């Protein structure tokens, strides 16, 4: 079987590494450098273990990996939900890793793998024994009408900021929900957070030209109750928020995987994690020596509902916190009742971490 990966990306590279270990295939990947935007990723329990099985995890700089066993959720200044690893009998819910470290080590592993062919020019292939595995949405959208995707524009912008704060964060990822804003906080060390701040487009347009001192004031207003005084702000890139899901994951000999198949709101950090789940499922099906039609049927059955349901869950969470129909007081009561559930909360944790995959 010939496998073509027309663009290089983290997901495409992980596919190439994964397939090269379990199947006798001719693997071709675009010879281009992986890009890094100096972001942090929160890898869940499943993703960590899968990368470990591929010999990638042990290559990462352990001093830059932050494991966490707890996530805290706030509505305004009230803590509403606490997710704990002990709720599902694991040591850690996830691991915060740097994109730079992932890109470097995955790139090196692909480069040093003689079973993976690197080509400067690759075209999508046809034929019974040729599979195209497409991770870049741009590679497939020209071949598929936009009607083949269900898309949602959140009319919001996310801003990436790192900063220092005076209170110890104890290595806990946190999310603070306001009516129309979400502050997603990933710890860099005990006194520094990386913030993904989601806000309405009109809010972003008002503040995008402000300086660091003004941003410090704005973040202090929203998070001083938790973080103490904010300082040493570094303002990163901003990006528009939208979601997308393909109506089919196999199209004209192309398997859609990662962001070509789905794009998530960054609220739960699911994008890369769900892409890695896609890789694991597709690689396993290829290893069983099915024909491409059977691989396609099984892959779509296993992955489409999983990804679509998670997107719906994220949208429901966002809609609930921004609801103008449900009063803030009632929202707090509902969230705190959820926090005490013995079945629902652990099931959400297992779903998000890939434990029930």
């Amino acid at each position: 079987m010939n496998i073509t990966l027309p663009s290089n990306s983290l997901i495409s590279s992980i596919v190439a590494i994964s397939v090269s270990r379990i199947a006798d295939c001719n693997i071709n990947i675009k010879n281009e450098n992986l890009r890094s935007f100096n972001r942090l990723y929160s890898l869940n329990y499943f993703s960590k273990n899968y990368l470990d099985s591929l010999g990638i995890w042990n290559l990462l700089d352990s001093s830059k990996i932050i494991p966490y066993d707890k996530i805290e959720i706030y509505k305004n200044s009230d803590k509403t939900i606490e997710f704990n690893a002990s709720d599902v009998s694991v040591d850690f819910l996830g691991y915060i890793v740097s994109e730079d470290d992932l890109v470097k080590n995955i790139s090196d592993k692909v480069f040093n793998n003689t079973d993976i062919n690197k080509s400067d020019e690759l075209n999508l292939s046809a034929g019974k024994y040729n599979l195209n595995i497409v991770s870049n949405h741009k590679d497939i959208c020209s071949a598929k009408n936009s009607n083949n995707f269900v898309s949602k524009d959140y009319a919001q912008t996310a801003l990436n900021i790192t900063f220092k704060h005076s209170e110890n964060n104890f290595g806990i990822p946190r999310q603070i929900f306001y009516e129309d804003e979400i502050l997603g906080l990933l710890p860099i060390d005990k006194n520094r957070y990386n913030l993904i701040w989601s806000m309405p487009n009109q809010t972003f347009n008002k503040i995008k030209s402000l300086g660091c001192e003004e941003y410090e004031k704005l973040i202090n207003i929203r998070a001083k109750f938790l973080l103490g005084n904010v300082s040493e702000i570094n303002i990163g890139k901003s990006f528009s928020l939208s979601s997308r899901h393909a109506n089919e994951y196999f199209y004209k000999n192309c398997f859609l995987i990662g962001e070509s198949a789905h794009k998530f709101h960054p609220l739960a950090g699911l994008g890369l994690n769900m892409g890695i789940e896609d890789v694991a499922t597709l690689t396993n099906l290829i290893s069983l020596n099915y024909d491409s039609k059977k691989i396609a049927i099984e892959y779509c059955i296993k992955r489409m509902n999983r990804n679509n349901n998670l997107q719906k869950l994220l949208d429901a969470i966002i809609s609930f916190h921004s609801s103008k129909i449900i009063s803030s007081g009632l929202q707090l009561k509902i969230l705190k009742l959820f926090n005490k559930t013995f079945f629902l909360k652990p099931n959400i944790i297992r779903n998000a971490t890939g434990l029930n995959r």
Side-chain angles (χ1 to χ4, degrees):
M1 183 179 291
N2 295 312
I3 292 179
T4 299
L5 298 150
S7 288
N8 204 353
S9 66
L10 276 175
I11 290 298
S12 288
S13 292
I14 295 170
V15 170
I17 294 166
S18 183
V19 173
S20 72
R21 292 170 65 92
I22 53 83
D24 184 17
C25 298
N26 181 32
I27 306 168
N28 303 283
I29 193 169
K30 185 72 174 290
N31 185 26
E32 56 187 359
N33 293 328
L34 289 181
R35 297 177 64 191
S36 175
F37 299 93
N38 197 30
R39 294 174 293 193
L40 293 178
Y41 287 116
S42 177
L43 295 180
N44 66 18
Y45 182 89
F46 177 86
S47 293
K48 182 265 183 186
N49 284 287
Y50 192 72
L51 294 182
D52 197 17
S53 73
L54 299 181
I56 294 171
W57 190 259
N58 66 308
L59 300 175
L60 303 179
D61 185 345
S62 59
S63 68
K64 295 180 180 178
I65 298 173
I66 302 174
Y68 58 88
D69 60 6
K70 180 189 298 185
I71 301 172
E72 293 180 350
I73 312 295
Y74 292 79
K75 175 66 177 176
N76 300 327
S77 60
D78 292 292
K79 185 162 78 168
T80 56
I81 300 171
E82 185 174 289
F83 296 109
N84 291 286
S86 59
D87 293 336
V88 289
S89 303
V90 295
D91 291 330
F92 300 107
L93 293 174
Y95 304 78
I96 298 166
V97 301
S98 77
E99 183 179 36
D100 289 348
D101 202 21
L102 277 174
V103 164
K104 176 186 180 302
N105 286 289
I106 289 175
S107 295
D108 288 348
K109 198 164 181 67
V110 169
F111 180 79
N112 293 322
N113 190 327
T114 56
D115 292 327
I116 301 172
N117 305 311
K118 298 88 182 174
S119 177
D120 292 332
E121 290 191 20
L122 280 179
N123 296 314
L124 299 178
S125 304
K128 184 178 180 180
Y129 299 104
N130 295 312
L131 295 182
N132 303 293
I133 302 178
V134 180
S135 67
N136 189 330
H137 182 60
K138 292 179 181 178
D139 286 332
I140 199 67
C141 65
S142 59
K144 288 172 65 67
N145 188 287
S146 60
N147 291 331
N148 292 112
F149 296 89
V150 176
S151 303
K152 181 171 183 175
D153 184 349
Y154 293 102
Q156 290 198 330
T157 300
L159 183 57
N160 189 346
I161 299 175
T162 58
F163 58 84
K164 188 175 180 179
H165 51 88
S166 60
E167 293 294 323
N168 190 337
N169 61 45
F170 299 103
I172 302 172
R174 288 158 165 155
Q175 291 175 340
I176 308 173
F177 287 87
Y178 289 97
E179 184 177 304
D180 55 2
E181 298 178 17
I182 306 171
L183 281 71
L185 298 156
L186 291 179
I188 300 170
D189 57 42
K190 66 179 183 179
N191 288 108
R192 284 194 302 156
Y193 264 127
N194 173 246
L195 165 66
I196 299 296
W197 181 5
S198 306
M199 66 191 80
N201 291 336
Q202 59 266 32
T203 302
F204 175 72
N205 290 332
K206 290 177 182 177
I207 69 171
K208 64 182 179 181
S209 299
L210 297 179
C212 290
E213 288 187 7
E214 286 84 359
Y215 273 106
E216 285 180 13
K217 292 176 183 176
L218 291 173
I219 297 173
N220 270 320
I221 290 170
R222 291 158 174 78
K224 188 174 183 178
F225 75 93
L226 186 60
L227 309 180
N229 291 314
V230 170
S231 62
E232 298 182 22
I233 280 192
N234 180 28
I235 302 169
K237 293 191 175 184
S238 61
F239 51 95
S240 298
L241 292 181
S242 61
S243 65
R244 181 182 63 245
H245 191 252
N247 290 328
E248 51 189 340
Y249 278 19
F250 183 71
Y251 180 81
K252 290 186 177 179
N253 227 37
C254 293
F255 285 92
L256 276 62
I257 194 167
E259 72 108 33
S260 71
H262 46 75
K263 180 182 178 184
F264 292 88
H265 190 286
L267 165 64
L270 289 175
L272 181 58
N273 290 299
M274 291 303 102
I276 291 172
E277 283 194 16
D278 292 344
V279 173
T281 299
L282 186 55
T283 300
N284 180 61
L285 292 169
I286 291 171
S287 74
L288 297 173
N289 293 317
Y290 293 154
D291 60 40
S292 59
K293 184 177 181 180
K294 187 169 183 179
I295 293 173
I297 292 170
E298 292 291 324
Y299 176 65
C300 291
I301 289 172
K302 292 177 183 296
R303 295 307 303 158
M304 288 189 70
N305 282 342
R306 165 85 167 144
N307 291 323
N308 193 38
N309 287 339
L310 282 173
Q311 281 192 330
K312 289 178 179 178
L313 177 61
L314 283 184
D315 284 343
I317 291 170
I318 294 167
S319 296
F320 176 82
H321 282 89
S322 61
S323 174
K324 293 178 174 57
I325 299 173
I326 306 172
S327 69
S328 182
L330 182 55
Q331 286 178 7
L332 280 175
K333 289 181 181 179
I334 293 171
L335 291 167
K336 290 183 178 182
L337 281 172
F338 168 83
N339 193 49
K340 296 177 181 178
T341 59
F342 291 102
F343 173 76
L344 188 56
K345 188 172 76 164
N347 193 50
I348 291 288
I349 297 172
R350 291 188 189 95
N351 204 24
T353 57
L355 279 166
N356 63 353
R357 183 185 172 276

